[in-house]
Structure formats: C-alpha cells, structure tokens
C-alpha cells in the first residue's frame, strides 16, 4: 500500500549492478581468472542472503489469507496488447546493448579505457532513475513518460554501436542505466492504470512480452555481429525497436490514459 516506495525498490537493481561490477573489476585488477570472478559473485550473493531475510517482513504472520474476489472487468483490456508489444520492443532494444556493451567497449581502441567501469556507470545511473521517471510520469502520464524514456534509450543504444569512442560508450552507459528500470516501472504503472481490477494478469502479459524481446534480442544481434563483424547494424535495429515502442506508447497515452489517471506509484 505504499506505492511511492517503488523507486526505492527498483533502485536496488542499480545498486546491485554497481556493486557487482565493482567487485568484478577489483578481482580482475588483482589478476583473478574467470572462475574466481564467478565464485566471488556467488560468495557475495550468499553473504547477503541473511541480510535480505532479515529485511523482508513476514507480512502473513498471524493473518488469515484473504480470498481473492472474482474479477468483473472485461476479459479484454483495451490497450494492454499495445503495452505488451511496447514492452517486448523495449526488451529487445535494451538487451542488445546490455548484452554486448562490454564487448563493444573492449573492441573499440578509443573506448577501451572505460571497460573496467562501464557497468558501474550503468548501475549508478539506474539508482535514481525510477524516482526521476516517476516524477516525469506524474506530469506527462505513465505512457507519455514511457515513450520519452524509450526515445532516450534509443539514442543511447545507437551511440553504443555507432560511436566507438569513450564519449559514445559513456553516453550509452548513462542512457541505458538511466532509463531501463524507469521504463520497467512505468510499464507496470500503465498496466495498473489500464486494468486496476486485474493487475496480476496485466503484469503477467507485459512481462511475457518483455521476456520474448529479451530472448530474441541477443540471438538476432549475435547472429548479425558474427556476419557483419560490427555492432552497428544490431544497435541500429535495437534503437529502431525502441523508437517504435516510443511512438506506440505516446499514441496510446493520448487515447487510453488521460493525464491524471496514469501516474506511477
């Protein structure tokens, strides 16, 4: 019942990315091989398990499970298909850069110096991103903010593949980190606004679309990289997918979720 704390919840993703990237960079600097990197990350995950168990409250203790009331909303939710498509295109677009960012930086002589810190930058940019995009969504509506975030991410994805310099890599890392968790949160906010009585089903559908995009992105991009020996074409295709998602989201926001009824949180 405290939806505005979602920004804190999603900030944990950015914190985890930054901490794990810093751990890997530290181990690499000490001369550790890939096995030690995996073991180190596994050890870090084990260490935080009791902390997580302590922080998560037992909300069901002493309470009887409340029955779920049957939904009376229509079986088809207007706009949910478009939102699922947007989330699939978003998953396809962001994952190409997320998968190949380090490889692209490593292969570019003018950007190689950023390899040890590029994912730390992604994580640090992600920490405040959900709060920032929640603020934008409160003024433009969830889908309007969703479209703007997809557009900015498209520029970052294109920069990562076309601008093989430190500036291009830095722009890609900041725009990727600064948008991908915000878009995720805005997608849930839009799904909740489209179907407030059937949130679980709506969340499941957009997450399924997101998953399909995440699976297709690396497979198609990897195939293209093998044949073109370049990150340019996959990055352009991923950026185009994000731009299509931006257009669909903005149009849907104008017709389905009037401003004032689609605030995140």
């Amino acid at each position: 019942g405290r939806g505005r704390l979602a920004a804190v919840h999603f900030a944990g993703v950015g914190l985890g990315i930054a901490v794990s990237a810093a751990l890997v960079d530290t181990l690499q600097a000490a001369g550790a091989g890939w096995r030690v990197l995996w073991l180190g990350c596994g050890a870090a995950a084990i260490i935080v398990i009791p902390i997580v168990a302590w922080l998560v409250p037992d909300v069901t203790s002493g309470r009887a499970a409340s029955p779920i009331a049957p939904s009376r909303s229509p079986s088809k939710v207007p706009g949910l298909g478009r939102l699922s498509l947007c989330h699939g295109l978003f998953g396809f677009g962001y994952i190409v850069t997320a998968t190949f960012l380090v490889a692209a930086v490593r292969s570019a002589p003018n950007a190689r110096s950023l390899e040890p810190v590029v994912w730390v930058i992604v994580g640090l940019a992600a920490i405040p991103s959900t709060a920032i995009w929640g603020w934008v969504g409160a003024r433009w509506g969830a889908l309007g903010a969703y479209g703007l975030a997809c557009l900015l991410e498209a520029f970052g994805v294109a920069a990562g593949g076309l601008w093989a310099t430190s500036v291009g890599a830095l722009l890609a890392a900041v725009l990727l980190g600064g948008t991908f968790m915000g878009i995720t949160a805005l997608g849930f906010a839009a799904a909740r606004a489209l179907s407030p009585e059937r949130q679980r089903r709506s969340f499941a559908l957009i997450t399924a679309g997101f998953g399909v995009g995440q699976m297709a992105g690396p497979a198609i991009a990897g195939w293209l990289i093998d044949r073109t020996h370049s990150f340019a074409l996959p990055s352009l295709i991923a950026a185009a997918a994000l731009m299509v998602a931006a257009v669909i989201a903005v149009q849907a926001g104008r017709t389905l979720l009037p401003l004032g009824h689609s605030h995140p949180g």
Side-chain angles (χ1 to χ4, degrees):
R2 300 174 69 184
R4 295 192 180 277
L5 290 179
V8 179
H9 169 73
F10 285 109
V13 177
L15 178 62
I17 290 173
V19 171
S20 60
L23 174 62
V24 169
D25 293 340
T26 300
L27 291 174
Q28 280 186 318
W34 66 269
R35 288 183 177 85
V36 174
L37 301 185
W38 280 101
L39 291 171
C41 290
I46 292 172
I47 290 171
V48 301
I49 287 175
I51 300 174
V52 172
W54 174 68
L55 288 173
V56 175
D58 183 6
V59 295
T60 61
S61 178
R63 300 182 185 178
S66 57
I68 299 176
S71 173
R72 296 182 180 179
S73 60
S75 57
K76 185 176 181 180
V77 178
L80 188 58
R82 276 179 280 177
L83 181 59
S84 298
L85 174 60
C86 286
H87 236 44
L89 292 168
F90 157 53
F92 179 94
Y94 106 91
I95 199 62
V96 170
T97 295
T99 302
F100 297 105
L101 179 59
V102 172
V105 170
R106 183 180 299 146
S107 66
N110 294 329
R112 200 170 293 159
S113 61
L114 280 179
E115 182 184 347
V117 297
V118 67
W119 267 103
V120 176
I121 295 170
V122 172
L124 293 176
I127 291 173
S129 65
T130 305
I132 292 171
W133 286 110
W135 180 84
V136 176
R139 285 148 183 80
W140 288 19
L143 285 172
Y146 188 109
L148 176 60
C150 282
L151 186 62
L152 287 176
E153 189 169 282
F155 283 115
V157 168
L162 299 177
W163 198 359
T165 65
S166 295
V167 175
L170 183 62
L171 185 63
V174 171
L175 290 181
L176 174 66
T179 55
F180 82 100
M181 287 312 305
I183 296 171
T184 301
L186 289 166
F188 282 119
R192 185 186 305 116
L194 287 171
S195 181
E197 296 182 3
R198 306 186 70 180
Q199 293 182 32
R200 293 182 182 178
R201 178 176 179 271
S202 299
F203 291 170
L205 287 173
I206 67 170
T207 302
F210 183 64
V212 171
Q214 283 199 111
M215 289 187 291
I220 294 173
W223 182 81
L224 289 171
I225 291 168
D226 285 343
R227 279 150 185 79
T228 63
H229 305 290
S230 170
F231 297 96
L233 182 58
S235 297
L236 284 175
I237 294 174
L242 287 162
M243 293 182 75
V244 171
V247 171
I248 296 174
V250 170
Q251 290 179 339
R254 290 173 177 171
T255 58
L256 296 171
L257 295 179
L259 187 61
H261 298 282
S262 58
H263 294 175

